[in-house]
Amino acid sequence: MRILLYNPDNGVTRNFMPHLWMFLLEALTPSGHEVVLIDGNAQPMDEAGIARYVRDQNIGLVGIGAMTRMIAKAYRMADAVRSAGVPVVMGGPHVTEMPDEALGRDGGTRHANAVALGEADQTWPKIVEDAVRGTLKDVYAPVDDFGQEKKPTLQPYPTIPWNTINLDQFNLVPKPAYRWLKKIGTGWGTFRIIPVESGRGCPYGCEFCTVTGFFGDSIRFRTNESVVNELLLLKARAASEGGKIAVFFIDDNFAINVKRTKSLLRDIIAANAQVHWIAQISANLLRDEELVDLIAAAGGTWIFIGMESIDPTNLASVNKGFNKPGEYAAVLERLAQRNVFAITSFIFGMDNDTVGVAERTLQQIRTWPAGLPIFGLLTPLPGTPLYTRLKDAGRLTRPKHWLEFKAFAMAHTPLKMTIPEAHAEVLDGWNRSYSPEAIAHAVESFDYKPLGYRINVLISRLCFRGIYFPQMGPWAWVKVIAQNRKTIFKLAKEGFLGKGDVLKRIPERSSRTDSASAGD
Ligand code: B12
Ligand code: SF4
């Protein structure tokens, strides 16, 4: 049977990284079947397109995975596939919480023939077998013979054949530049960001997050050896195709067990398996100097920190009181000293937020080494304690917000400001952090660092801008480049003519606290 695994696009901007579930399920598919992967972010497709595709390619089963924000598109695509006579199985965090919606048991349209609940590592082979026999069940749950929930141990972990898998659709180097860069042997023929997991689960239970409910609070890890081998495979692939690779460790909290993380990082270093990587780590775990040293030595380049708020009352209200705003500056300083960039994520619209929250947050950000701030709105995702609390309090304004998805739009009323005020705060945060002036300021704040480092700051800023401001297609990019031409020209000039007077300024600059600037 030919199986299509399809991931819908997010409708806002192009996602920079493919989803791990597709590669994992492909690796777990019983032999004798052919699996095709399509990520809508890389290969845009509409309903008519997918229906045509499954007919033309003789697809016998379509698997669709989606987060809540893509579910409306996922349902439309599933409907089109089913109309073409091909069965659909859906999985992922949204349908796990809302299986009745996908199966039409809530009175709505049925979108899927079957739903895979939770982690599907063990149920997927069974689903494929049932699809071949034409005996798909409505629901597949990861349970043992006694009906008890059974989570994959991750030991052993399937080998994803990164050396042979077709990754053409996931090359971030634009097509026109690709052949040329490859030909002249720059080592930039391809650039891919690849998701790798080293463990699953997070015990912290933040109120807005689905992870503790979905993966459980028991944390499971792969062996160090299996992770190291995967990195070596990826490194070899990049080398063989004259390209670059970066890894996103998608673990929810990469250092949740600090001892184990240190041992993994030591093994990565010992095996010379370093690649540039990004990981999500909560601020409280980055107090450990030795951990941060190892992160830098093992290739850690960007660390995503869910700071959420600079207000301890807000943090306590969403069960994230373990975040201590008072230590954010020290954590960021510690990373910057080792040339590790911080992606700092904030949520506005929390219950103690009032008008001006963006400016108050930016004031703090300006005192930190320049990083990559991102701003979102508190969103009641189905299955979270936050959803239940707001529903019980009658505060949900759009209880099924995912069926009418709008990016950066609240689905409940905050306590101390209106919904339009919350929207304006997020806009303000993005505007003032990613204006051409703010980007120039961020780059300049690192003028004591090598040119490559500052180019990295510039490119990251231009890309991150696109999370909020739609930046799809060549024209959008031409516009962004034109707006930031002064900074681009300055760095290009330095590249051709050398540092000049910039060099003279290095000794005058102190370490980083004076560099500030992420804000405006
Ligand atoms: C990496 C990641 C991202 C990446 C992008 C996704 C990517 N390309 O991988 C980045 C950083 C960009 C990102 C951004 C966002 N993310 Co995110 N992200 C994750 C993260 C940490 C890992 C995803 C992953 O690979 N997991 C490991 C795999 C193995 O698990 P899985 O995807 O769930 O797949 C398993 C099962 O679900 C199932 N399955 C999944 N799909 C399918 C399909 C079929 C057919 C079958 C049978 C089974 C199946 O089988 C798999 C194996 O067991 C998850 C948290 C988590 N631990 O999952 C959050 C998570 C998915 N993100 C989440 C959110 C909310 C977001 C944002 C909206 C955050 C924001 N406010 O901006 C954005 C939106 C991005 C967008 N594209 O529009 C939520 C989604 C909750 C929900 N109900 O939708 C999660 C669960 C985290 C959370 N806080 O709750 N994210
Ligand atoms: S620390 Fe992160 S992954 Fe863990 S529950 Fe909180 S938000 Fe979710």
Side-chain angles (χ1 to χ4, degrees), residues 47 50 64 71-81 111 403:
E47 290 89 321
I50 200 164
I64 303 183
I71 204 70
K73 169 91 188 246
Y75 287 155
R76 289 198 301 275
M77 297 301 263
D79 295 347
V81 171
H111 307 287
L403 295 181

Side-chain angles (χ1 to χ4, degrees), residues 1-2 47 50-56 58-62 77-89 111 113 131 134 136:
M1 183 169 62
R2 294 194 90 197
E47 290 89 321
I50 200 164
R52 207 168 34 246
Y53 185 89
V54 295
R55 271 195 301 258
D56 293 353
N58 195 22
I59 300 289
L61 175 69
V62 175
M77 297 301 263
D79 295 347
V81 171
R82 277 162 47 84
S83 305
V86 178
V88 171
V89 53
H111 307 287
N113 296 66
L136 272 177

Side-chain angles (χ1 to χ4, degrees), residues 12 33 123 163 166 248 297 389 436 442 472 488:
V12 183
H33 303 286
T123 46
N163 46 339
N166 182 343
F248 191 132
R389 171 165 71 89
M472 299 240 254
I488 296 169

Side-chain angles (χ1 to χ4, degrees), residues 200-213 215-219 252-258 280-287 306 308 315-316 318-324 327 385:
R200 288 186 195 165
C202 176
Y204 287 170
C206 302
E207 195 196 28
F208 52 80
C209 178
T210 60
V211 167
T212 308
F215 289 100
D217 52 11
S218 70
I219 308 149
D252 293 294
N253 214 332
F254 184 62
I256 191 70
N257 178 332
V258 174
Q280 313 181 91
I281 303 181
S282 55
N284 56 324
L285 301 170
L286 292 164
R287 287 176 194 138
E308 326 302 9
L315 290 166
V318 292
N319 201 30
K320 199 154 186 171
F322 58 87
N323 260 10
K324 305 287 177 214
E327 68 179 358

Side-chain angles (χ1 to χ4, degrees), residues 10-154:
N10 70 29
V12 183
T13 192
R14 185 184 160 181
N15 204 345
F16 58 89
M17 177 176 76
H19 286 256
L20 180 62
W21 70 265
M22 306 175 100
F23 302 106
L24 203 55
L25 294 194
E26 183 179 16
L28 292 166
T29 303
S31 57
H33 303 286
E34 189 192 342
V35 180
V36 191
L37 311 182
I38 295 186
D39 187 327
N41 291 289
Q43 296 188 57
M45 225 178 218
D46 61 9
E47 290 89 321
I50 200 164
R52 207 168 34 246
Y53 185 89
V54 295
R55 271 195 301 258
D56 293 353
Q57 299 296 317
N58 195 22
I59 300 289
L61 175 69
V62 175
I64 303 183
M67 295 183 200
T68 293
R69 60 168 14 208
M70 294 96 158
I71 204 70
K73 169 91 188 246
Y75 287 155
R76 289 198 301 275
M77 297 301 263
D79 295 347
V81 171
R82 277 162 47 84
S83 305
V86 178
V88 171
V89 53
M90 297 185 81
H94 184 83
V95 297
T96 296
E97 301 301 342
M98 308 290 296
D100 289 350
E101 183 181 270
L103 292 168
R105 288 172 171 177
D106 62 351
T109 310
R110 180 170 187 149
H111 307 287
N113 296 66
V115 165
L117 302 182
E119 295 170 65
D121 310 52
Q122 264 125 36
T123 46
W124 176 245
K126 174 92 183 99
I127 293 171
V128 173
E129 280 165 20
D130 285 359
V132 171
R133 283 197 297 265
T135 56
L136 272 177
K137 290 200 276 288
D138 283 2
V139 176
Y140 290 84
V143 289
D144 62 19
D145 295 342
F146 306 101
Q148 295 293 314
E149 193 181 19
K150 200 169 137 208
K151 300 225 172 262
T153 60
L154 308 190

